[in-house]
Amino acid sequence: DALQSGDYDAIITFADTDAYYGKNILVTDPIMNVHMVLIRSDNSSDEEPVFALKSGFETGISYVQNTSPGSRIVYVNTGELDDTLEAIVDGKANATYMNTYAADYFLQKPKYKKLHIVSNVYFSQYLCYAVDTSDGDMLYNILNKSIIMRKM
């Protein structure tokens, strides 16, 4: 939405290329690979997980569906990442997946003291640039070439 509004020429995103198909948006090669962790409330280790996941978090949704078939997913439709943690604190869910950087940041806050990282999980996301190409693909090419050159 930020790209399509014209306010930005590029954004950093975890979204895969399918999320932007047919929208004049190209996604660069990955900038970095970000590992994910499972976060649960202290008192829910014996319960069937109910996952709070952000709408659009396709890799997380797919991971839950493949590794915990039948588990319920509560979709969080706000722009704030920590709203998935709020859903756990409020009792609407008892688990979520989050990247390690965000988890380290949010779990320092006192309001999340009853939440903890259970384990690293075996999926990660690739952080990429999504670039509006409605005016051409020069910015996309510049960013992608710089990413490729950095990896060499």
PDB file of all heavy atoms in Angstrom, residues 84-101:
ATOM      1  N   THR A  84       0.748  -8.924  17.936  1.00  0.00           N
ATOM      2  CA  THR A  84       0.646 -10.381  18.074  1.00  0.00           C
ATOM      3  C   THR A  84       0.959 -10.784  19.513  1.00  0.00           C
ATOM      4  O   THR A  84       0.336 -11.695  20.052  1.00  0.00           O
ATOM      5  CB  THR A  84       1.586 -11.114  17.095  1.00  0.00           C
ATOM      6  OG1 THR A  84       2.934 -10.699  17.317  1.00  0.00           O
ATOM      7  CG2 THR A  84       1.187 -10.850  15.657  1.00  0.00           C
ATOM      8  N   LEU A  85       1.893 -10.093  20.137  1.00  0.00           N
ATOM      9  CA  LEU A  85       2.209 -10.362  21.545  1.00  0.00           C
ATOM     10  C   LEU A  85       1.060  -9.902  22.443  1.00  0.00           C
ATOM     11  O   LEU A  85       0.741 -10.559  23.436  1.00  0.00           O
ATOM     12  CB  LEU A  85       3.514  -9.676  21.945  1.00  0.00           C
ATOM     13  CG  LEU A  85       4.758 -10.100  21.153  1.00  0.00           C
ATOM     14  CD1 LEU A  85       5.960  -9.271  21.581  1.00  0.00           C
ATOM     15  CD2 LEU A  85       5.036 -11.574  21.303  1.00  0.00           C
ATOM     16  N   GLU A  86       0.450  -8.785  22.093  1.00  0.00           N
ATOM     17  CA  GLU A  86      -0.708  -8.288  22.848  1.00  0.00           C
ATOM     18  C   GLU A  86      -1.840  -9.309  22.825  1.00  0.00           C
ATOM     19  O   GLU A  86      -2.532  -9.492  23.817  1.00  0.00           O
ATOM     20  CB  GLU A  86      -1.200  -6.955  22.284  1.00  0.00           C
ATOM     21  CG  GLU A  86      -0.281  -5.790  22.544  1.00  0.00           C
ATOM     22  CD  GLU A  86      -0.186  -5.396  24.006  1.00  0.00           C
ATOM     23  OE1 GLU A  86      -1.157  -5.614  24.760  1.00  0.00           O
ATOM     24  OE2 GLU A  86       0.869  -4.881  24.408  1.00  0.00           O
ATOM     25  N   ALA A  87      -2.022  -9.988  21.683  1.00  0.00           N
ATOM     26  CA  ALA A  87      -3.075 -11.010  21.585  1.00  0.00           C
ATOM     27  C   ALA A  87      -2.803 -12.149  22.560  1.00  0.00           C
ATOM     28  O   ALA A  87      -3.736 -12.728  23.124  1.00  0.00           O
ATOM     29  CB  ALA A  87      -3.157 -11.538  20.153  1.00  0.00           C
ATOM     30  N   ILE A  88      -1.542 -12.458  22.803  1.00  0.00           N
ATOM     31  CA  ILE A  88      -1.196 -13.502  23.776  1.00  0.00           C
ATOM     32  C   ILE A  88      -1.456 -12.997  25.196  1.00  0.00           C
ATOM     33  O   ILE A  88      -2.075 -13.685  26.004  1.00  0.00           O
ATOM     34  CB  ILE A  88       0.270 -13.957  23.614  1.00  0.00           C
ATOM     35  CG1 ILE A  88       0.482 -14.575  22.230  1.00  0.00           C
ATOM     36  CG2 ILE A  88       0.638 -14.947  24.708  1.00  0.00           C
ATOM     37  CD1 ILE A  88       1.932 -14.874  21.911  1.00  0.00           C
ATOM     38  N   VAL A  89      -1.012 -11.788  25.488  1.00  0.00           N
ATOM     39  CA  VAL A  89      -1.223 -11.197  26.816  1.00  0.00           C
ATOM     40  C   VAL A  89      -2.714 -11.101  27.124  1.00  0.00           C
ATOM     41  O   VAL A  89      -3.141 -11.362  28.250  1.00  0.00           O
ATOM     42  CB  VAL A  89      -0.545  -9.808  26.904  1.00  0.00           C
ATOM     43  CG1 VAL A  89      -0.955  -9.073  28.172  1.00  0.00           C
ATOM     44  CG2 VAL A  89       0.971  -9.942  26.833  1.00  0.00           C
ATOM     45  N   ASP A  90      -3.528 -10.774  26.109  1.00  0.00           N
ATOM     46  CA  ASP A  90      -4.978 -10.627  26.290  1.00  0.00           C
ATOM     47  C   ASP A  90      -5.721 -11.962  26.312  1.00  0.00           C
ATOM     48  O   ASP A  90      -6.942 -11.987  26.471  1.00  0.00           O
ATOM     49  CB  ASP A  90      -5.572  -9.748  25.184  1.00  0.00           C
ATOM     50  CG  ASP A  90      -5.085  -8.311  25.255  1.00  0.00           C
ATOM     51  OD1 ASP A  90      -4.564  -7.901  26.313  1.00  0.00           O
ATOM     52  OD2 ASP A  90      -5.210  -7.594  24.247  1.00  0.00           O
ATOM     53  N   GLY A  91      -5.008 -13.084  26.098  1.00  0.00           N
ATOM     54  CA  GLY A  91      -5.631 -14.399  26.152  1.00  0.00           C
ATOM     55  C   GLY A  91      -6.311 -14.841  24.868  1.00  0.00           C
ATOM     56  O   GLY A  91      -6.993 -15.869  24.843  1.00  0.00           O
ATOM     57  N   LYS A  92      -6.165 -14.103  23.790  1.00  0.00           N
ATOM     58  CA  LYS A  92      -6.775 -14.479  22.512  1.00  0.00           C
ATOM     59  C   LYS A  92      -5.970 -15.575  21.806  1.00  0.00           C
ATOM     60  O   LYS A  92      -6.482 -16.243  20.918  1.00  0.00           O
ATOM     61  CB  LYS A  92      -6.887 -13.263  21.600  1.00  0.00           C
ATOM     62  CG  LYS A  92      -7.781 -12.174  22.161  1.00  0.00           C
ATOM     63  CD  LYS A  92      -7.729 -10.940  21.294  1.00  0.00           C
ATOM     64  CE  LYS A  92      -8.522  -9.819  21.954  1.00  0.00           C
ATOM     65  NZ  LYS A  92      -8.248  -8.524  21.328  1.00  0.00           N
ATOM     66  N   ALA A  93      -4.715 -15.702  22.176  1.00  0.00           N
ATOM     67  CA  ALA A  93      -3.815 -16.700  21.590  1.00  0.00           C
ATOM     68  C   ALA A  93      -2.791 -17.065  22.657  1.00  0.00           C
ATOM     69  O   ALA A  93      -2.741 -16.446  23.731  1.00  0.00           O
ATOM     70  CB  ALA A  93      -3.126 -16.130  20.350  1.00  0.00           C
ATOM     71  N   ASN A  94      -1.967 -18.083  22.388  1.00  0.00           N
ATOM     72  CA  ASN A  94      -0.927 -18.422  23.357  1.00  0.00           C
ATOM     73  C   ASN A  94       0.432 -18.645  22.709  1.00  0.00           C
ATOM     74  O   ASN A  94       1.370 -19.085  23.365  1.00  0.00           O
ATOM     75  CB  ASN A  94      -1.330 -19.642  24.190  1.00  0.00           C
ATOM     76  CG  ASN A  94      -1.591 -20.875  23.342  1.00  0.00           C
ATOM     77  OD1 ASN A  94      -1.114 -21.006  22.228  1.00  0.00           O
ATOM     78  ND2 ASN A  94      -2.369 -21.797  23.893  1.00  0.00           N
ATOM     79  N   ALA A  95       0.544 -18.320  21.407  1.00  0.00           N
ATOM     80  CA  ALA A  95       1.818 -18.509  20.712  1.00  0.00           C
ATOM     81  C   ALA A  95       1.891 -17.596  19.494  1.00  0.00           C
ATOM     82  O   ALA A  95       0.867 -17.178  18.953  1.00  0.00           O
ATOM     83  CB  ALA A  95       1.970 -19.961  20.270  1.00  0.00           C
ATOM     84  N   THR A  96       3.098 -17.301  19.085  1.00  0.00           N
ATOM     85  CA  THR A  96       3.327 -16.562  17.842  1.00  0.00           C
ATOM     86  C   THR A  96       4.724 -16.867  17.345  1.00  0.00           C
ATOM     87  O   THR A  96       5.565 -17.387  18.097  1.00  0.00           O
ATOM     88  CB  THR A  96       3.139 -15.039  18.016  1.00  0.00           C
ATOM     89  OG1 THR A  96       3.103 -14.426  16.720  1.00  0.00           O
ATOM     90  CG2 THR A  96       4.246 -14.414  18.840  1.00  0.00           C
ATOM     91  N   TYR A  97       4.958 -16.553  16.101  1.00  0.00           N
ATOM     92  CA  TYR A  97       6.301 -16.605  15.534  1.00  0.00           C
ATOM     93  C   TYR A  97       6.730 -15.183  15.235  1.00  0.00           C
ATOM     94  O   TYR A  97       5.935 -14.365  14.776  1.00  0.00           O
ATOM     95  CB  TYR A  97       6.330 -17.425  14.237  1.00  0.00           C
ATOM     96  CG  TYR A  97       6.178 -18.897  14.476  1.00  0.00           C
ATOM     97  CD1 TYR A  97       5.008 -19.557  14.134  1.00  0.00           C
ATOM     98  CD2 TYR A  97       7.208 -19.637  15.051  1.00  0.00           C
ATOM     99  CE1 TYR A  97       4.863 -20.914  14.352  1.00  0.00           C
ATOM    100  CE2 TYR A  97       7.067 -20.986  15.275  1.00  0.00           C
ATOM    101  CZ  TYR A  97       5.900 -21.625  14.918  1.00  0.00           C
ATOM    102  OH  TYR A  97       5.765 -22.966  15.139  1.00  0.00           O
ATOM    103  N   MET A  98       8.001 -14.910  15.509  1.00  0.00           N
ATOM    104  CA  MET A  98       8.539 -13.575  15.293  1.00  0.00           C
ATOM    105  C   MET A  98      10.014 -13.713  14.967  1.00  0.00           C
ATOM    106  O   MET A  98      10.668 -14.663  15.421  1.00  0.00           O
ATOM    107  CB  MET A  98       8.332 -12.761  16.575  1.00  0.00           C
ATOM    108  CG  MET A  98       8.659 -11.293  16.469  1.00  0.00           C
ATOM    109  SD  MET A  98       8.209 -10.396  17.993  1.00  0.00           S
ATOM    110  CE  MET A  98       6.426 -10.305  17.829  1.00  0.00           C
ATOM    111  N   ASN A  99      10.539 -12.763  14.213  1.00  0.00           N
ATOM    112  CA  ASN A  99      11.977 -12.842  13.927  1.00  0.00           C
ATOM    113  C   ASN A  99      12.777 -12.534  15.183  1.00  0.00           C
ATOM    114  O   ASN A  99      12.298 -11.890  16.108  1.00  0.00           O
ATOM    115  CB  ASN A  99      12.356 -11.951  12.733  1.00  0.00           C
ATOM    116  CG  ASN A  99      12.375 -10.487  13.049  1.00  0.00           C
ATOM    117  OD1 ASN A  99      13.192 -10.017  13.834  1.00  0.00           O
ATOM    118  ND2 ASN A  99      11.465  -9.742  12.441  1.00  0.00           N
ATOM    119  N   THR A 100      13.978 -13.047  15.213  1.00  0.00           N
ATOM    120  CA  THR A 100      14.799 -12.958  16.424  1.00  0.00           C
ATOM    121  C   THR A 100      15.074 -11.525  16.850  1.00  0.00           C
ATOM    122  O   THR A 100      15.123 -11.235  18.043  1.00  0.00           O
ATOM    123  CB  THR A 100      16.135 -13.697  16.239  1.00  0.00           C
ATOM    124  OG1 THR A 100      16.809 -13.173  15.092  1.00  0.00           O
ATOM    125  CG2 THR A 100      15.927 -15.183  16.077  1.00  0.00           C
ATOM    126  N   TYR A 101      15.237 -10.621  15.895  1.00  0.00           N
ATOM    127  CA  TYR A 101      15.540  -9.223  16.233  1.00  0.00           C
ATOM    128  C   TYR A 101      14.351  -8.563  16.928  1.00  0.00           C
ATOM    129  O   TYR A 101      14.509  -7.897  17.958  1.00  0.00           O
ATOM    130  CB  TYR A 101      15.913  -8.436  14.972  1.00  0.00           C
ATOM    131  CG  TYR A 101      17.142  -8.969  14.297  1.00  0.00           C
ATOM    132  CD1 TYR A 101      17.048  -9.672  13.101  1.00  0.00           C
ATOM    133  CD2 TYR A 101      18.405  -8.791  14.847  1.00  0.00           C
ATOM    134  CE1 TYR A 101      18.174 -10.179  12.472  1.00  0.00           C
ATOM    135  CE2 TYR A 101      19.536  -9.290  14.231  1.00  0.00           C
ATOM    136  CZ  TYR A 101      19.415  -9.985  13.038  1.00  0.00           C
ATOM    137  OH  TYR A 101      20.531 -10.480  12.431  1.00  0.00           O
TER     138      TYR A 101
END
